Amino acid sequence: TTRELKKNISELERSNKDLRQFAYAASHDLQEPLRAVAGYCQLLQAEVKEGLSGEALEFIHNAVEATKRMQTLIHDLLAYSLVTTSEKTFDSTDCNQVLRDVLAMLEVPIKEAQAIVTCTEMPTINADARQLKQLFQNLMSNAIKYRGDRRPEIRFTAERKEMEWLFAVADNGIGVDIKYKDKVFAIFQRLHTHDAYPGSGIGLAVCKRVVEHHAGRIWFESELGKGSCFYFTIPDKREDWP
């Protein structure tokens, strides 16, 4: 009945609010002791550096690096959980501006990699601008990270397809074995070691969650050693459709 539906919606909204509060609290409570551990390890290293063996210094360094990885993991998990538990703020969003913001945020790694980034004209769609920025940023960061020995060439395109927009992010990086087509979008699924490529293994899972939160689809095509192209769709829900 209508009354039961309203009750279920109300309970779901309350549950989402509780999850948001829990996520923020858990993030803060877990981050504080990690910062303390890293800080004390670095103080210890500075205080007794002269009297420590090379092996002992390596132990301290490894402890600091482990806490940094845990902090990154907590941050990424929070971002993943907030995709669907945060308040929906879908609004008219200029994807050109979103892409400009992402380019500004990634200015340093783009320059360090000497990456060439090109794009076609992007549409204005009904979306959550903050989440769309996460999506673009994760895909571009991956294209830079998994570049191999070549200078990265990254291209963003968007094309209208009936009732949705088809976006594509293509690169000339190391590529992904197509047998991992499902694994790459799963949370914590890494195809490389931390030493080879740092990261939490959550980035593409966030991308998938964002796209599906916008009622779209995401997939990729790739060839090992030649590059990848990640595709995703987002419905155009503007009211001025013919």
Side-chain angles (χ1 to χ4, degrees):
T1 64
T2 303
R3 180 178 296 179
E4 289 175 340
L5 181 60
K6 288 181 178 179
K7 181 182 177 182
N8 289 336
I9 292 174
S10 177
E11 289 177 351
L12 182 60
E13 289 174 346
R14 185 168 61 252
S15 175
N16 279 343
K17 184 178 179 181
D18 291 342
L19 282 171
R20 287 195 300 273
Q21 292 174 340
F22 171 77
Y24 280 118
S27 174
H28 177 77
D29 291 344
L30 288 171
Q31 291 279 15
E32 284 303 315
L34 284 173
R35 277 192 287 266
V37 170
Y40 283 126
C41 284
Q42 289 168 328
L43 287 173
L44 178 64
Q45 187 178 34
E47 187 72 22
V48 296
K49 185 174 182 179
E50 298 300 326
L52 293 177
S53 66
E55 188 177 36
L57 288 173
E58 184 180 354
F59 290 159
I60 294 175
H61 172 76
N62 290 343
V64 172
E65 291 303 307
T67 58
K68 288 179 180 178
R69 286 200 300 271
M70 181 62 81
Q71 286 173 325
T72 300
L73 182 59
I74 292 169
H75 177 273
D76 291 348
L77 272 173
L78 181 62
Y80 180 81
S81 68
L82 289 178
V83 170
T84 54
T85 59
S86 59
E87 297 287 348
K88 279 191 177 182
T89 54
F90 286 17
D91 203 351
S92 180
T93 301
D94 181 0
C95 294
N96 294 291
Q97 185 59 52
V98 170
L99 191 51
R100 284 193 291 269
D101 291 344
V102 169
L103 288 170
M105 287 190 294
L106 297 178
E107 182 179 5
V108 172
I110 288 172
K111 284 185 176 179
E112 288 178 347
Q114 297 184 315
I116 300 170
V117 183
T118 58
C119 64
T120 59
E121 183 70 17
M122 294 281 117
T124 294
I125 60 175
N126 191 45
D128 183 317
R130 181 184 58 81
Q131 292 185 3
L132 209 60
K133 197 176 297 183
Q134 279 182 299
L135 174 61
F136 281 25
Q137 183 178 349
N138 283 347
L139 291 175
M140 186 179 291
S141 294
N142 277 357
I144 295 171
K145 182 192 296 185
Y146 300 108
R147 61 183 179 271
D149 298 326
R150 288 196 294 271
R151 183 180 185 181
E153 295 180 10
I154 307 162
R155 181 163 177 77
F156 282 75
T157 60
E159 182 182 359
R160 183 78 171 266
K161 293 285 188 180
E162 296 183 355
M163 304 293 281
E164 63 185 11
W165 283 92
L166 172 65
F167 293 83
V169 183
D171 65 59
N172 63 336
I174 63 174
V176 182
D177 194 322
I178 202 66
K179 70 182 180 182
Y180 297 121
K181 64 184 179 69
D182 296 320
K183 187 176 181 179
V184 296
F185 293 111
I187 193 168
F188 297 135
Q189 295 297 315
R190 295 178 52 85
L191 306 184
H192 307 277
T193 65
H194 279 289
D195 292 336
Y197 295 100
S200 62
I202 297 178
L204 286 176
V206 170
C207 290
K208 185 173 187 290
R209 204 167 171 90
V210 167
V211 170
E212 291 179 349
H213 192 49
H214 285 73
R217 297 165 289 116
I218 186 169
W219 69 97
F220 74 93
E221 294 176 358
S222 184
E223 188 173 350
L224 285 174
K226 294 188 177 181
S228 306
C229 186
F230 282 81
Y231 299 93
F232 62 92
T233 63
I234 295 183
D236 187 341
K237 301 177 182 178
R238 293 179 306 181
E239 295 179 358
D240 61 347
W241 261 11

